[in-house]
Short mmCIF file of all heavy atoms in Angstrom, two decimals:
data_model
loop_
_atom_site.label_atom_id
_atom_site.label_comp_id
_atom_site.label_asym_id
_atom_site.label_seq_id
_atom_site.Cartn_x
_atom_site.Cartn_y
_atom_site.Cartn_z
N CYS A 91 102.94 88.32 108.01
CA CYS A 91 103.39 86.94 107.87
C CYS A 91 104.97 87.06 107.90
O CYS A 91 105.60 86.82 106.83
CB CYS A 91 102.91 86.25 106.77
SG CYS A 91 101.16 86.10 106.78
N PRO A 92 105.66 87.36 109.03
CA PRO A 92 107.21 87.63 109.00
C PRO A 92 108.06 86.46 108.62
O PRO A 92 109.15 86.69 108.13
CB PRO A 92 107.52 88.15 110.37
CG PRO A 92 106.43 87.58 111.17
CD PRO A 92 105.12 87.64 110.46
N ASN A 93 107.48 85.25 108.65
CA ASN A 93 108.23 84.02 108.25
C ASN A 93 107.93 83.62 106.81
O ASN A 93 108.46 82.57 106.47
CB ASN A 93 107.87 82.88 109.26
CG ASN A 93 108.33 83.25 110.68
OD1 ASN A 93 109.38 83.87 110.87
ND2 ASN A 93 107.48 82.87 111.71
N ASP A 94 107.19 84.44 106.10
CA ASP A 94 106.99 83.97 104.70
C ASP A 94 108.35 83.96 103.93
O ASP A 94 109.20 84.74 104.16
CB ASP A 94 106.05 85.14 104.05
CG ASP A 94 104.67 84.66 104.12
OD1 ASP A 94 104.25 83.75 104.65
OD2 ASP A 94 103.86 85.38 103.39
N THR A 95 108.38 83.01 102.99
CA THR A 95 109.50 83.06 102.00
C THR A 95 109.24 83.92 100.92
O THR A 95 108.01 84.28 100.61
CB THR A 95 109.69 81.62 101.47
OG1 THR A 95 108.55 81.21 100.63
CG2 THR A 95 109.92 80.59 102.59
N PRO A 96 110.24 84.32 100.11
CA PRO A 96 109.92 85.14 98.96
C PRO A 96 108.97 84.42 98.08
O PRO A 96 108.12 85.18 97.43
CB PRO A 96 111.33 85.23 98.26
CG PRO A 96 112.34 85.13 99.42
CD PRO A 96 111.63 84.24 100.40
N THR A 97 109.04 83.16 97.82
CA THR A 97 108.02 82.56 96.95
C THR A 97 106.53 82.69 97.52
O THR A 97 105.70 82.93 96.80
CB THR A 97 108.36 81.02 96.84
OG1 THR A 97 109.63 80.90 96.23
CG2 THR A 97 107.37 80.19 96.01
N GLN A 98 106.49 82.51 98.75
CA GLN A 98 105.04 82.75 99.31
C GLN A 98 104.56 84.14 99.17
O GLN A 98 103.37 84.37 98.94
CB GLN A 98 105.08 82.29 100.84
CG GLN A 98 105.27 80.78 101.06
CD GLN A 98 105.58 80.36 102.43
OE1 GLN A 98 106.25 81.17 103.23
NE2 GLN A 98 105.29 79.16 102.92
N VAL A 99 105.43 85.04 99.42
CA VAL A 99 105.07 86.42 99.22
C VAL A 99 104.62 86.68 97.83
O VAL A 99 103.53 87.28 97.48
CB VAL A 99 106.15 87.46 99.58
CG1 VAL A 99 105.83 88.83 99.11
CG2 VAL A 99 106.46 87.43 101.03
N GLU A 100 105.44 86.17 96.80
CA GLU A 100 104.94 86.34 95.41
C GLU A 100 103.67 85.58 95.14
O GLU A 100 102.71 86.30 94.42
CB GLU A 100 106.10 85.78 94.54
CG GLU A 100 105.70 85.85 93.00
CD GLU A 100 106.69 85.23 92.09
OE1 GLU A 100 107.75 85.02 92.54
OE2 GLU A 100 106.38 85.13 90.89
N ASN A 101 103.46 84.42 95.71
CA ASN A 101 102.10 83.76 95.50
C ASN A 101 101.00 84.50 96.08
O ASN A 101 99.86 84.53 95.38
CB ASN A 101 102.26 82.43 96.11
CG ASN A 101 103.08 81.37 95.33
OD1 ASN A 101 103.47 81.61 94.15
ND2 ASN A 101 103.65 80.34 96.05
N GLU A 102 101.16 85.09 97.13
CA GLU A 102 100.09 85.84 97.80
C GLU A 102 99.66 87.15 96.88
O GLU A 102 98.49 87.42 96.82
CB GLU A 102 100.41 86.23 99.29
CG GLU A 102 100.37 84.99 100.15
CD GLU A 102 101.35 85.18 101.46
OE1 GLU A 102 101.54 86.24 101.77
OE2 GLU A 102 101.73 84.15 101.96
N ILE A 103 100.70 87.76 96.41
CA ILE A 103 100.50 88.90 95.59
C ILE A 103 99.82 88.54 94.29
O ILE A 103 98.76 89.21 93.93
CB ILE A 103 101.80 89.66 95.32
CG1 ILE A 103 102.24 90.33 96.59
CG2 ILE A 103 101.70 90.61 94.13
CD1 ILE A 103 103.63 90.85 96.48
N VAL A 104 100.17 87.43 93.65
CA VAL A 104 99.68 86.99 92.43
C VAL A 104 98.24 86.49 92.57
O VAL A 104 97.20 86.73 91.86
CB VAL A 104 100.58 86.01 91.74
CG1 VAL A 104 99.85 85.31 90.53
CG2 VAL A 104 101.90 86.58 91.40
N SER A 105 98.06 85.71 93.68
CA SER A 105 96.71 85.03 93.81
C SER A 105 95.70 86.02 94.24
O SER A 105 94.44 85.96 94.07
CB SER A 105 96.82 84.03 94.85
OG SER A 105 97.16 84.47 96.16
N GLY A 106 96.10 87.22 94.71
CA GLY A 106 95.12 88.25 95.18
C GLY A 106 94.87 89.32 93.99
O GLY A 106 94.15 90.28 94.28
N ALA A 107 95.40 89.11 92.80
CA ALA A 107 95.38 90.08 91.80
C ALA A 107 93.98 90.03 91.18
O ALA A 107 93.19 88.98 91.12
CB ALA A 107 96.34 89.75 90.65
N GLN A 108 93.49 91.21 90.75
CA GLN A 108 92.22 91.36 90.07
C GLN A 108 92.32 91.15 88.59
O GLN A 108 93.26 91.76 87.93
CB GLN A 108 91.57 92.73 90.41
CG GLN A 108 90.34 93.09 89.72
CD GLN A 108 89.80 94.42 90.07
OE1 GLN A 108 89.99 94.95 91.22
NE2 GLN A 108 89.32 95.12 89.09
N ALA A 109 91.50 90.39 87.97
CA ALA A 109 91.51 90.11 86.56
C ALA A 109 91.32 91.48 85.81
O ALA A 109 90.48 92.19 86.17
CB ALA A 109 90.57 89.17 86.09
N LEU A 110 92.10 91.63 84.71
CA LEU A 110 91.96 92.95 83.99
C LEU A 110 90.87 92.59 82.92
O LEU A 110 90.75 91.59 82.26
CB LEU A 110 93.25 93.25 83.25
CG LEU A 110 94.33 93.56 84.12
CD1 LEU A 110 95.68 93.70 83.46
CD2 LEU A 110 94.04 94.98 84.94
N ALA A 111 90.07 93.64 82.53
CA ALA A 111 89.14 93.65 81.48
C ALA A 111 90.03 93.61 80.14
O ALA A 111 91.06 93.95 80.05
CB ALA A 111 88.26 94.79 81.56
N PRO A 112 89.32 93.20 78.90
CA PRO A 112 89.91 93.20 77.68
C PRO A 112 90.45 94.54 77.38
O PRO A 112 89.67 95.60 77.72
CB PRO A 112 88.80 92.68 76.73
CG PRO A 112 87.89 91.95 77.66
CD PRO A 112 87.98 92.56 78.95
N PRO A 113 91.60 94.77 76.74
CA PRO A 113 91.94 96.23 76.36
C PRO A 113 91.04 96.72 75.40
O PRO A 113 90.40 96.11 74.61
CB PRO A 113 93.35 95.76 75.79
CG PRO A 113 93.28 94.41 75.24
CD PRO A 113 92.44 93.76 76.18
N PRO A 114 91.11 98.06 75.40
CA PRO A 114 90.23 98.81 74.40
C PRO A 114 90.62 98.51 73.01
O PRO A 114 91.73 98.13 72.69
CB PRO A 114 90.59 100.29 74.78
CG PRO A 114 91.14 100.26 76.15
CD PRO A 114 91.81 99.01 76.34
N PRO A 115 89.67 98.69 72.00
CA PRO A 115 90.04 98.37 70.62
C PRO A 115 91.20 99.25 70.18
O PRO A 115 91.44 100.35 70.47
CB PRO A 115 88.71 98.88 69.93
CG PRO A 115 87.65 98.73 71.00
CD PRO A 115 88.26 99.03 72.32
N GLY A 116 92.03 98.56 69.43
CA GLY A 116 93.20 99.24 68.91
C GLY A 116 94.45 99.14 69.82
O GLY A 116 95.52 99.65 69.48
N THR A 117 94.22 98.49 70.93
CA THR A 117 95.33 98.41 71.90
C THR A 117 95.59 96.96 72.27
O THR A 117 94.68 96.09 71.95
CB THR A 117 95.05 99.25 73.17
OG1 THR A 117 93.93 98.54 73.80
CG2 THR A 117 94.82 100.66 72.97
N THR A 118 96.70 96.68 72.93
CA THR A 118 96.99 95.34 73.38
C THR A 118 97.19 95.36 74.85
O THR A 118 97.65 96.29 75.49
CB THR A 118 98.14 94.79 72.58
OG1 THR A 118 99.38 95.59 72.92
CG2 THR A 118 97.95 94.70 71.05
N GLY A 119 96.91 94.19 75.52
CA GLY A 119 97.21 93.98 76.88
C GLY A 119 98.46 93.25 77.07
O GLY A 119 99.38 93.32 76.24
N PHE A 120 98.65 92.58 78.25
CA PHE A 120 99.77 91.79 78.46
C PHE A 120 99.61 90.49 77.75
O PHE A 120 98.64 89.95 77.67
CB PHE A 120 99.93 91.62 79.93
CG PHE A 120 100.02 92.97 80.72
CD1 PHE A 120 98.95 93.52 81.29
CD2 PHE A 120 101.36 93.54 80.81
CE1 PHE A 120 99.23 94.74 81.92
CE2 PHE A 120 101.59 94.70 81.43
CZ PHE A 120 100.53 95.36 82.07
N VAL A 121 100.83 90.03 77.47
CA VAL A 121 100.95 88.76 76.71
C VAL A 121 100.28 87.53 77.54
O VAL A 121 99.52 86.75 76.91
CB VAL A 121 102.42 88.33 76.30
CG1 VAL A 121 102.57 86.88 75.91
CG2 VAL A 121 103.04 89.34 75.45
N SER A 122 100.60 87.53 78.75
CA SER A 122 100.06 86.43 79.65
C SER A 122 98.65 86.96 80.18
O SER A 122 98.54 87.94 80.83
CB SER A 122 100.89 86.14 80.80
OG SER A 122 100.25 85.34 81.65
N PRO A 123 97.57 86.10 79.89
CA PRO A 123 96.33 86.54 80.40
C PRO A 123 96.21 86.45 81.95
O PRO A 123 95.17 86.93 82.59
CB PRO A 123 95.28 85.53 79.78
CG PRO A 123 96.18 84.38 79.47
CD PRO A 123 97.59 84.91 79.08
N ALA A 124 97.23 85.81 82.58
CA ALA A 124 97.20 85.63 84.06
C ALA A 124 97.71 86.93 84.74
O ALA A 124 97.49 87.02 85.92
CB ALA A 124 98.22 84.56 84.35
#
């Protein structure tokens, strides 16, 4: 999609992300669950 804007590229990357499983006991994940 050569005419994509930077915002559209970011949205496509974020919307295609795979949800992460809960972190192992004793560890923490990312602050944002998104």
Side-chain angles (χ1 to χ4, degrees):
C91 304
N93 295 322
D94 266 9
T95 66
T97 298
Q98 288 167 334
V99 172
E100 179 178 350
N101 288 340
E102 288 153 23
I103 287 173
V104 171
S105 64
Q108 175 182 321
L110 293 171
T117 65
T118 58
F120 295 98
V121 170
S122 172

